[in-house]
């Protein structure tokens, strides 16, 4: 071979069999890629089991406090769309009422307000717990004679005015206790959501309850011997009051040490977080927005799961002899 000369190398001859094999391999590779990409596209579009959004990715810092009460996310969308699906459970000594089964209808004597009753005496309770969704220019009605009322704001803002003309602006995390037969009105200029407790006041001689207005962040943390959760009580512990409302906070992984069994009834609304609640012999996954009724002496226990803290609001009857 002479220097400086280029040699042209001719490819080896390819047999028809090899050509056909190469074409088949290319086709199979193209088909595999098409199926794979199509599967990914379908999975994203239909939000199947593998593509269901994780609640841990939610930017909770950019949303209002207690936003999950009205925007629950524990149940994947594909399950919510199943005919007949609900996490709600009703048994003799407890009930779990979850948002997908709420039924809203106009509240009697309230203006421009829809209510969903979550706990009522038909269950066996001696109190009522309901959500009140107030709309623009809405106003509350009065409870029946002899019935006391507690309201807690979970969304929006309202103004509460009593018969004396005293007004209080209540924002998220604010509350008001209204003793029986106290004329008052709760007004909303825009949409707002309240959780409301009502019960017939159990009066004892020489004691009477009085109006209270406050907010959770102004209540001191109380001692909880033997427990790790944080506790605030929104009402005084004196004999004037026949029930109290507790705010209980659990950090992820914390749980009740005492497996409680007692005569007190409970009504509970999860405000933040998620976890596992034991009621009787059943164990329920729960999240913000879920409501629970606990009858007297039902075994009960809670453990917080996930990354955010759990906070729940808890009704508890107190200061009265259960035989009365």
């Amino acid at each position: 071979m002479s220097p400086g000369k280029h040699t042209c190398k001719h490819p080896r001859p390819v047999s028809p069999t090899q050509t056909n094999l190469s074409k088949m391999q290319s086709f199979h590779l193209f088909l595999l890629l098409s199926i794979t990409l199509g599967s990914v596209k379908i999975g994203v579009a239909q939000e199947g089991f593998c593509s269901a959004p994780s609640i841990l990715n939610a930017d909770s810092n950019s949303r209002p406090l207690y936003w999950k009460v009205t925007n629950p996310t524990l149940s994947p969308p594909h399950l919510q769309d199943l005919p007949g699906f609900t996490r709600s459970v009703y048994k003799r000594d407890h009930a779990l009422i979850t948002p997908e089964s709420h039924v809203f209808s106009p509240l009697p004597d309230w203006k421009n307000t829809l209510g969903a009753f979550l706990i009522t005496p038909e269950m066996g309770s001696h109190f009522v717990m309901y959500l009140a969704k107030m709309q623009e220019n809405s106003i509350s009605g009065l409870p029946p004679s002899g019935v006391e009322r507690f309201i807690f704001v979970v969304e929006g803002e309202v103004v509460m005015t009593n018969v004396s003309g005293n007004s209080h602006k209540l924002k998220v995390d604010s509350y008001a206790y209204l003793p029986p037969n106290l004329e008052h009105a709760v007004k909303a200029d825009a949409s707002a959501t309240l959780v409301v407790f009502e019960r017939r006041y159990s009066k004892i001689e020489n004691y009477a309850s009085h109006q209270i207005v406050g907010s959770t962040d102004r209540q001191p943390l109380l001692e909880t011997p033997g427990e790790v959760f944080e506790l605030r009580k929104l009402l005084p512990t004196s004999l004037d009051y026949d029930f109290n409302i507790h705010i209980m906070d659990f950090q992820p992984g914390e749980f009740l040490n005492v497996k409680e069994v007692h005569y007190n009834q409970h009504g509970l609304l999860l405000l933040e977080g998620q976890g596992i609640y034991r009621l009787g012999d059943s164990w329920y996954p729960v999240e913000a927005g879920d409501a629970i009724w606990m009858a007297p002496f039902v075994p009960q226990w809670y453990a917080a799961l996930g990354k955010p803290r759990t906070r729940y609001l808890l009704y508890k009857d107190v200061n009265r002899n259960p035989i009365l």
Side-chain angles (χ1 to χ4, degrees), residues 143-154:
S145 176
V147 172
E148 56 193 334
R149 170 181 283 173
F150 181 94
I151 63 174
F152 185 93
V153 183
V154 294

Side-chain angles (χ1 to χ4, degrees), residues 291-309:
I292 297 175
W293 170 64
M294 289 169 262
F297 298 104
V298 61
Q300 55 197 255
W301 180 86
Y302 179 72
L305 303 176
K307 290 186 177 181
R309 73 172 179 183

Side-chain angles (χ1 to χ4, degrees), residues 2 18 72 82 91 100 138 145 169 201 241 270 279 308 311:
S2 302
Q18 289 175 318
L82 286 176
K91 295 190 177 182
E100 74 275 356
S138 57
S145 176
K169 182 180 291 186
Y201 182 61
Y241 301 88
L270 271 88
L279 298 168
R311 167 170 283 188

Side-chain angles (χ1 to χ4, degrees), residues 85-241:
F85 170 78
T86 179
R87 292 187 296 114
S88 293
V89 174
Y90 170 65
K91 295 190 177 182
R92 178 188 63 82
D93 55 6
H94 69 268
L96 169 64
I97 308 299
T98 57
E100 74 275 356
S101 57
H102 290 176
V103 177
F104 285 89
S105 59
L107 277 177
D109 302 322
W110 292 55
K111 177 184 176 183
N112 294 338
T113 305
L114 297 176
F117 286 90
L118 307 178
I119 300 174
T120 72
E122 284 74 14
M123 285 181 172
S125 68
H126 52 233
F127 66 95
V128 169
M129 172 181 170
Y130 59 94
L131 293 176
K133 285 194 172 183
M134 307 185 76
Q135 306 302 317
E136 185 178 354
N137 298 321
S138 57
I139 184 170
S140 67
L142 290 173
S145 176
V147 172
E148 56 193 334
R149 170 181 283 173
F150 181 94
I151 63 174
F152 185 93
V153 183
V154 294
E155 181 186 38
E157 182 178 294
V158 299
V159 175
M160 192 276 295
T161 305
N162 63 19
V163 67
S164 301
N166 297 323
S167 296
H168 299 272
K169 182 180 291 186
L170 304 179
K171 301 180 180 180
V172 173
D173 222 25
S174 299
Y175 61 89
Y177 167 81
L178 294 313
N181 306 323
L182 176 68
E183 291 190 21
H184 65 276
V186 180
K187 299 180 180 180
D189 294 329
S191 61
T193 303
L194 314 176
V195 55
V196 184
F197 295 89
E198 294 174 351
R199 62 164 286 170
R200 192 164 298 281
Y201 182 61
S202 179
K203 184 174 177 55
I204 56 177
E205 190 175 357
N206 300 324
Y207 292 93
S209 60
H210 304 278
Q211 175 182 299
I212 293 175
V213 177
S215 61
T216 298
D217 59 0
R218 294 187 177 182
Q219 303 311 310
L221 288 174
L222 303 177
E223 295 292 331
T224 55
E227 295 287 358
V228 295
F229 62 82
E230 295 182 344
L231 171 66
R232 294 174 174 85
K233 295 186 178 182
L234 304 189
L235 296 180
T237 58
S238 66
L239 292 178
D240 300 298
Y241 301 88

Side-chain angles (χ1 to χ4, degrees), residues 46-114:
Q46 296 183 350
E47 292 188 349
F49 280 86
C50 294
S51 60
S54 171
I55 63 173
L56 300 181
N57 293 331
D59 183 9
S60 59
N61 294 328
S62 65
R63 295 184 172 95
L65 189 65
Y66 306 148
W67 72 276
K68 280 192 177 181
V69 172
T70 51
N71 298 275
T73 55
L74 182 63
S75 301
H78 56 271
L79 291 181
Q80 292 182 0
D81 292 338
L82 286 176
F85 170 78
T86 179
R87 292 187 296 114
S88 293
V89 174
Y90 170 65
K91 295 190 177 182
R92 178 188 63 82
D93 55 6
H94 69 268
L96 169 64
I97 308 299
T98 57
E100 74 275 356
S101 57
H102 290 176
V103 177
F104 285 89
S105 59
L107 277 177
D109 302 322
W110 292 55
K111 177 184 176 183
N112 294 338
T113 305
L114 297 176

